[in-house]
Amino acid sequence: MIKACIFDLDGTLTNTVRTLAHFVNTETAKHGIPPAPVEQFKYFAGNGARTLIHRVLAYHGIENLSLEDTILKDYNAAYDANFLYLCTLYDGVADMITALHTHGIALAVLSNKPQSTTEKIINAFFGADIFSIVLGQREGVPLKPDPYGVFEILEKLQCKKEECLYIGDTAVDVHTGQNAGLTTVGVLWGFRERQELEEAGAAYIIDQPSALLPLVFP
């Protein structure tokens, strides 16, 4: 019996590819770096803001830790100040979340996006009462695919791992759930393709949010 669902954020609940591209390209432009293609950010993202910036610079053939630090700091500040810019929920996500919440399923978010921004986005779209726990990137806490955050959520929810699904759109998410011993659900409306999710070993792969409900309520 499933009692809880843990969701990734970017590419799973929210479509932020244009948001990421805007804020990164705005900051890199200040250093004379041309914009990277928007679609490429689907592959730059997934392992936290620092890796995002590192991948964008590498795309341009740049390896400069000092520059990376500067852009990262300015990117995080700009993003947090205007966190909903170009950000939307994927079609069907709101109805899916409402259905799960209405039926008493505990909901949580585990993201590699900074904690403050993650909380603001969830509160803006869903309010403060729908998700029981919202965790983002925090100082001293390992990022996904380390299972630390999953274990923290399970403990707070007093939920067993066999009672919880982990839902995300990348191999990082699938591995996060696997590393914690959870059943994983890969989604196809996000940043990556079916092949990546299959190769990562997702237990289920779904192509629309409503398809999660039969997995929770068989």
Side-chain angles (χ1 to χ4, degrees):
M1 180 179 178
I2 299 300
K3 297 181 178 179
C5 291
I6 303 174
F7 291 90
D8 169 52
L9 183 57
D10 289 8
T12 302
L13 299 178
T14 54
N15 186 352
T16 53
V17 65
R18 293 186 302 152
T19 310
L20 298 173
H22 167 77
F23 285 112
V24 173
N25 284 336
T26 296
E27 297 307 323
T28 55
K30 296 176 182 177
H31 302 274
I33 301 170
V38 172
E39 282 298 300
Q40 198 64 38
F41 281 83
K42 291 182 177 181
Y43 307 97
F44 292 150
N47 296 82
R50 175 171 289 281
T51 300
L52 170 66
I53 301 302
H54 180 84
R55 287 171 175 164
V56 172
L57 292 179
Y59 175 85
H60 292 293
I62 300 170
E63 185 174 342
N64 183 324
L65 184 57
S66 177
L67 178 61
E68 183 179 305
D69 287 341
T70 298
I71 293 175
L72 175 63
K73 179 181 177 181
D74 293 342
Y75 163 81
N76 279 336
Y79 198 140
D80 195 53
N82 195 12
F83 56 92
L84 288 184
Y85 185 68
L86 300 176
C87 179
T88 61
L89 290 181
Y90 286 103
D91 290 344
V93 162
D95 289 342
M96 171 190 68
I97 294 299
T98 297
L100 293 171
H101 180 68
T102 299
H103 286 83
I105 300 299
L107 303 175
V109 167
L110 180 60
S111 175
N112 280 342
K113 188 184 292 294
Q115 178 71 29
S116 172
T117 310
T118 301
E119 289 177 343
K120 289 178 181 179
I121 291 171
I122 290 299
N123 288 341
F125 281 116
F126 300 103
D129 301 323
I130 299 297
F131 284 85
S132 300
I133 303 169
V134 176
L135 298 182
Q137 177 265 320
R138 296 163 290 161
E139 192 70 30
V141 177
L143 295 173
K144 301 183 297 183
D146 190 287
Y148 183 96
V150 175
F151 293 140
E152 187 176 350
I153 289 169
L154 292 176
E155 182 176 355
K156 289 181 178 179
L157 294 179
Q158 296 185 324
C159 183
K160 299 176 183 177
K161 54 189 177 183
E162 58 268 21
E163 298 173 330
C164 183
L165 298 178
Y166 189 95
I167 302 100
D169 67 306
T170 71
V172 170
D173 295 309
V174 175
H175 294 152
T176 302
Q178 290 172 339
N179 290 342
L182 270 59
T183 298
T184 56
V185 181
V187 308
L188 293 176
W189 58 82
F191 288 0
R192 306 290 171 81
E193 294 78 25
R194 177 181 291 273
Q195 181 178 350
E196 176 173 323
L197 298 172
E198 288 179 345
E199 291 177 353
Y204 300 98
I205 298 176
I206 58 176
D207 60 3
Q208 55 186 340
S210 61
L212 179 66
L213 301 181
L215 302 180
V216 179
F217 311 115

